[in-house]
Amino acid sequence: MNESDYLLEMNNISKEFPGVKALDNVTLKVRAGSVHALMGENGAGKSTLMKCIFGIYKQDAGEILLNGERVDTNSSKDALNLGIAMIHQELHPVKYRSVMENMWLGRFPLKSYGPAKLVDEKKMYKATEELFKSLDIDIKPNTIVENLSVSKIQQMEIAKAISYNSKVIIMDEPTSSLTENEVEHLFRIIRDLRSKGVAIIYISHKMEEILQISDEVSIMRDGKKIGTWNAEELTTDVIISKMVGRDLSNRFPDRDNKPGEVVLEVEGLSSPFPKSFKEVSFGVRRGEILGIGGLVGAQRTELLEALFGLRTVESGKIFINGEEVKIKSPIDAKKHKIALLTEERRSTGIFPILSVLENTVIANMPRYVTTFGLLDDKKRKSDTEKGINMLRTKTPSIKTLIKDLSGGNQQKVLLARWLLTEPDILILDEPTRGIDVGAKYEIYTIITKLAKEGKSIIMISSEMPELLGMSDRIMVMCEGCLSGIIDGKNATEEEVMRLATKYMV
């Protein structure tokens, strides 16, 4: 292969943060009209490398070439002007503005109004509408982003990246919130872009996707590139082995938890909103992992947020250990020993500008107040270190800002936060979303251990292998209704999908 075949070259890139060498002499070369997958465990350096291309970080050493010419990306604006766009793993739109305003933020079309220049909203609406139509995306341009589902926001961000007519598009976990049909829709868009000579750098932990869509695969480990292979040469087992540097033949740990008596019982729970959950009844046993399956929009998250006091309930009853309880706020939920690990780490989980210590202890602050009204820093530090050791969290120190950790390690900090509240019922909403295969196994091991200790686990998952591999029973929802509960040992993908579409017209 000639050097001229490469559209983008990153040569000998290094980057250090305090206490961490994130990138160590990494070289990555990407051809025009190809999908180049970038894989590795959380913390391997994938996102850091991409942020160096996109101007979020400045590399300490090395060079970036575009079409054979050296370029400097000192900001995201520089990258976009050069024809490099990026769809970030963590979605961060301006929630209270419209879709079209989010799409054209920083480059609004203008019209003259006397001496003044005003935003041309008609032109912006039409441009957004035409782009969405060309991509077969069903979103109204004037919809307020806060009213969109996570999957629709993901589609909006994908369209936004394409709108720059970029030569290189970086997609960091683009399907993490998409349904199976939406993933296939994205793949059609990617194939079209590839046919037009666009280079796609595709980061994902989903092996099947990588093998289906990519031309080449580069694998990173501990800040170094292990190698690059043609996708057709690889299998899932080979990728996993190269990613983690060890054999992971079993994707899920052996489970020896033994479900006991019913701890939580829900009867006829309904939301006051017409398109939300209605008349849902189920129970969870001590030491049980109850998986909850369903398609996007099935109202799984809304149901469990209601159990945690984050959403209003119109009717129905909740019983804990046989006694009816009223849960109107998260404070009530915590009093009844319920904890909730939310789906969206960035928007509803971490406090990015606070340290690992502060993120760990924040849900349990009364525990650290002394009789003199002061905070017991020694106890806060001790509990944080206990959580780090228990979950094997990788962090330079407890003072490190949580935003500087990988997604998997952020998730471990959040899990440690809720375990400190000593819950009996632990609700996990997509606990391994955006987490690599090695970190997933560690999270699975923790969940299994908690179930064996007698914790009742409720786990929403959109990943079918995870749902089938980790659940004692699987409760499936469709259109806000409970469509069935099946035994985990005998469950099949076909049966779960049948129940997940049971009430669809």
Side-chain angles (χ1 to χ4, degrees), residues 267-273 277-280 303 312-316:
E267 289 185 0
L269 213 63
S270 295
S271 165
F273 303 106
F277 59 89
K278 45 193 175 287
E279 293 293 325
V280 178
L303 172 66
T312 305
V313 172
E314 182 178 58
S315 60

Side-chain angles (χ1 to χ4, degrees), residues 105-125:
L105 189 65
R107 49 181 181 144
F108 291 142
L110 301 175
K111 62 180 178 180
S112 298
Y113 191 80
K117 293 280 189 181
L118 301 177
V119 175
D120 190 337
E121 293 198 2
K122 286 185 179 179
K123 186 175 181 180
M124 185 162 59
Y125 186 99

